[in-house]
Amino acid sequence: MGHREDKELIEPWRITNGSKFRLDDYDPDSTGSLRAKDEKDADELLSEGIERIAELQERLYAQNCHSLLLVFQAMDAAGKDSTIKHVLSGVNPHGCQVTSFKAPSSEELDHDFLWRSTKALPGRGMIGIFNRSYYEEVLVVRVHPELLEHQQLPKGSVGKNIWKHRYEDIVAYERHLARNGTTILKFFLNVSKKEQKRRFLERLDEPDKLWKFAPGDLKERERWKEYMQAYESMVRATAKPFAPWFVVPADNKWYTRLVVCAAINSALGGLELDLPQVGKEQRGEIESFRKQLEKD
């Protein structure tokens, strides 16, 4: 994939100003300008994209100036794990870290809702991947406000404006990270309720996928409409030029992976990553080292 192909793949789904965002305008089954018969060609495009990510990640690591944070949010069975696995398959593990956020621990509940994410942020030269993130605090917690009772918040801090305040805190947090060298890409893998049903049934029919199924998945599915409203509000409030959302169609996994891959390549390619220059003194040391090795 080249720059033009990247742009064609990501622009329909990239949101930098969410003020007019409507989730109903984004078809989970869309494959953009590609068609189902292009799926075989997509494998080749994805392979090329994965190779480019590996090359750019090596430069990111060597330059040790920028960092990249990839945030993945989605309903169950939308394909977060498989997307991360496939798209980042060529990345050197030394330059990449994946953090999966589950229900907060007692220690995490003793801090503000951004604390545990801050501990997991990628250092300079690194790619950090959040499989779920601090956005759970305006998604799951919004759909289940009773969870706020366990967060030990001061009286008066939980009111009608709590979600507005959390959006503001998140935007300020991401602006701070961006100003200090972290490029942020946020992916909402937009799966349809119909496709989620199909994937749930597939899990039940395949023994090696049964472990993925949990009874709670069905309870959350019953609150689909509430979750979609929460996702729409989230994108509206937090899509910014310095931290865009990509509302990626997720009913066709091959297309989902292509879009995510293109977005990562576009972001890394825009950082002007250069390998460190070797100075005159260092070149002399290298030549001396070469001569020693040749004599050995």
Side-chain angles (χ1 to χ4, degrees):
M1 289 187 288
H3 177 73
R4 191 180 74 177
E5 289 84 359
D6 287 344
K7 187 175 181 180
E8 289 176 356
L9 279 165
I10 64 179
E11 283 307 313
W13 320 116
R14 184 174 184 266
I15 301 167
T16 57
N17 181 346
S19 60
K20 296 182 180 180
F21 174 73
R22 291 180 68 257
L23 188 53
D24 286 344
D25 294 336
Y26 290 77
D27 181 8
D29 192 44
S30 176
T31 55
S33 60
L34 300 179
R35 295 162 294 178
K37 71 177 186 178
D38 296 322
E39 185 173 349
K40 289 184 178 179
D41 295 334
D43 290 339
E44 184 176 340
L45 284 174
L46 183 62
S47 295
E48 293 172 2
I50 290 171
E51 288 181 12
R52 283 180 58 212
I53 290 176
E55 293 170 3
L56 290 167
Q57 184 245 349
E58 183 179 358
R59 291 175 175 266
L60 178 78
Y61 186 81
Q63 192 185 71
N64 198 37
C65 181
H66 300 274
S67 59
L68 177 65
L69 176 61
L70 310 175
V71 175
F72 288 85
Q73 293 289 158
M75 295 294 285
D76 292 315
K80 295 188 308 300
D81 292 342
S82 64
T83 298
I84 293 168
K85 176 182 176 181
H86 282 80
V87 175
L88 281 302
S89 60
V91 170
N92 188 325
H94 288 294
C96 181
Q97 60 191 42
V98 181
T99 306
S100 296
F101 292 97
K102 308 296 183 183
S105 67
S106 57
E107 180 188 20
E108 290 165 345
L109 288 172
D110 279 337
H111 295 81
D112 67 89
F113 76 92
L114 292 169
W115 181 76
R116 65 174 182 166
S117 299
T118 302
K119 293 198 305 176
L121 287 172
R124 300 194 189 284
M126 298 287 291
I127 295 176
I129 303 164
F130 283 1
N131 188 341
R132 301 192 188 277
S133 68
Y134 43 88
Y135 279 102
E136 293 293 283
E137 293 293 328
V138 293
L139 292 169
V140 174
V141 180
R142 185 163 189 173
V143 174
H144 297 278
E146 65 274 11
L147 293 174
L148 289 169
E149 297 174 8
H150 305 290
Q151 296 192 358
Q152 305 175 60
L153 297 168
K155 289 182 179 179
S157 63
V158 180
K160 63 179 182 180
N161 290 322
I162 186 170
W163 311 119
K164 176 177 178 290
H165 291 162
R166 287 196 168 183
Y167 292 143
E168 290 172 352
D169 292 340
I170 288 171
V171 170
Y173 181 68
E174 292 177 342
R175 182 184 289 111
H176 167 73
L177 293 177
R179 284 173 173 170
N180 285 274
T182 299
T183 296
I184 305 166
L185 304 180
K186 302 176 298 190
F187 301 99
F188 166 39
L189 304 191
N190 183 24
V191 71
S192 67
K193 193 175 183 181
K194 179 181 177 182
E195 177 62 14
Q196 187 198 56
K197 175 184 175 180
R198 189 193 70 78
R199 292 180 188 179
F200 275 170
L201 289 172
E202 184 181 69
R203 288 180 182 180
L204 296 176
D205 291 337
E206 296 187 26
D208 61 344
K209 291 187 177 181
L210 276 175
W211 66 273
K212 289 187 174 184
F213 183 77
D217 294 344
L218 290 180
K219 291 183 179 180
E220 297 305 289
R221 178 176 165 83
E222 291 172 1
R223 307 187 76 159
W224 186 275
K225 185 176 180 180
E226 293 171 74
Y227 271 107
M228 294 304 103
Q229 291 172 343
Y231 275 110
E232 183 172 273
S233 297
M234 173 194 76
V235 174
R236 280 185 177 180
T238 63
K240 304 295 178 182
F242 52 82
W245 273 107
F246 296 84
V247 181
V248 186
D251 280 10
N252 299 282
K253 290 184 177 181
W254 62 272
Y255 186 71
T256 305
R257 294 165 187 168
L258 270 183
V259 174
V260 172
C261 186
I264 295 172
N265 271 315
S266 179
L268 288 175
L271 293 178
E272 298 182 359
L273 300 171
D274 296 317
L275 293 173
Q277 295 297 309
V278 178
K280 185 176 180 181
E281 183 178 344
Q282 191 176 3
R283 288 183 183 276
E285 293 175 351
I286 292 172
E287 190 58 32
S288 176
F289 186 61
R290 180 196 300 277
K291 289 178 180 178
Q292 288 182 39
L293 283 174
E294 289 173 346
K295 289 179 180 179
D296 192 349

